[in-house]
Amino acid sequence: PIPCVPWQSQTSGQYQRRVHGKEQLYLNELEEILESSAKRELEKVLKPLFTQIARCVMSPHFQVAERALFLWNNDAVASFTSEHRHTILPILYPALNANTQNHWNTTVHSLAFNIIRMFMEMDIELWDKVSKKFDEEQNAKHKEKKVERRNKRWSALKRIAQTKDMSVSG
């Protein structure tokens, strides 16, 4: 299984401990790979790599999220992120945003804010652009869900009305 899997509440505690332990080992190994790999090799896997890191950042298990956020304390990771911020920020933004709003652990909150501050200091215009696009996408999704709920309610009312018409006429 891929590390940093989405939280599954129906799994046993023993399974969760094993998975979260593996996620932390994965992140430790990943940091070593990021330090020792050539930049052009990392560029080949940039999107899937940072998509996986974003999943780890969003983990409800504080040690996994914390370890993922600690990657940016490494100069090699921070430098690579700075060079590829136009690709990395749109991938990481939803995870960072979710952590600052919803994560239960205060250390994870402060680490996420530190990375947000780092991105803002790197390129405030990019930050604003990605933030605005994310907000627009979230609003569009919210509107879609609202329309979908409304349509389901109308369909249910129509079925009820048809059932009543049949029982009255029958």
Side-chain angles (χ1 to χ4, degrees), residues 10 13 17 29 34 41-42 45 48 59 72 82-84 93 100 104 106 118 120 122 129 135 142 145-146 156 160:
Q10 67 269 19
R17 282 190 296 280
E29 292 297 319
L34 290 170
E41 293 300 317
L42 291 174
V45 294
S59 175
W72 279 272
S82 178
E83 291 173 19
H84 298 89
Y93 183 87
T100 59
W104 63 272
T106 56
M118 177 193 74
M120 291 174 95
M122 268 188 239
K129 178 182 165 188
D135 290 344
H142 179 71
K145 286 181 182 180
K146 198 173 180 180
I160 291 169

Side-chain angles (χ1 to χ4, degrees), residues 34 39 42-43 46 49-50 53 68-93 96 114-116 118-120 122-123 126-127:
L34 290 170
K39 288 185 180 182
L42 291 174
E43 289 167 354
L46 182 83
L49 176 66
F50 278 89
I53 292 171
L69 292 164
F70 271 131
L71 287 173
W72 279 272
N73 287 349
N74 183 312
D75 290 336
V77 176
S79 166
F80 187 78
T81 300
S82 178
E83 291 173 19
H84 298 89
R85 64 185 174 270
H86 293 280
T87 305
I88 294 172
L89 181 57
I91 296 169
L92 278 179
Y93 183 87
L96 294 170
N114 288 344
I115 294 172
I116 288 170
M118 177 193 74
F119 274 111
M120 291 174 95
M122 268 188 239
D123 192 339
L126 176 64
W127 177 266

Side-chain angles (χ1 to χ4, degrees), residues 17 32 35 37 46 48 52 81 88 90 96-97 110 121 125 130 137 146 162:
R17 282 190 296 280
E32 288 183 33
E35 282 181 0
S37 296
L46 182 83
Q52 193 62 33
T81 300
I88 294 172
L96 294 170
N97 186 52
S110 65
E121 288 172 0
E125 290 175 13
V130 170
E137 289 172 357
K146 198 173 180 180
Q162 288 173 348

Side-chain angles (χ1 to χ4, degrees), residues 1 21-22 27 51 61 75 79 98-99 107 112 118 121 127 156-157 163:
K22 287 181 181 181
L27 290 165
T51 299
H61 191 284
D75 290 336
S79 166
N99 272 0
T107 303
M118 177 193 74
E121 288 172 0
W127 177 266
L157 282 172
T163 306

Side-chain angles (χ1 to χ4, degrees), residues 20 24 27 60-68 103-105 108:
H20 297 308
Q24 290 174 287
L27 290 165
H61 191 284
F62 81 96
Q63 289 174 321
V64 174
E66 185 178 70
R67 183 67 190 96
H103 206 283
W104 63 272
N105 185 278
V108 170

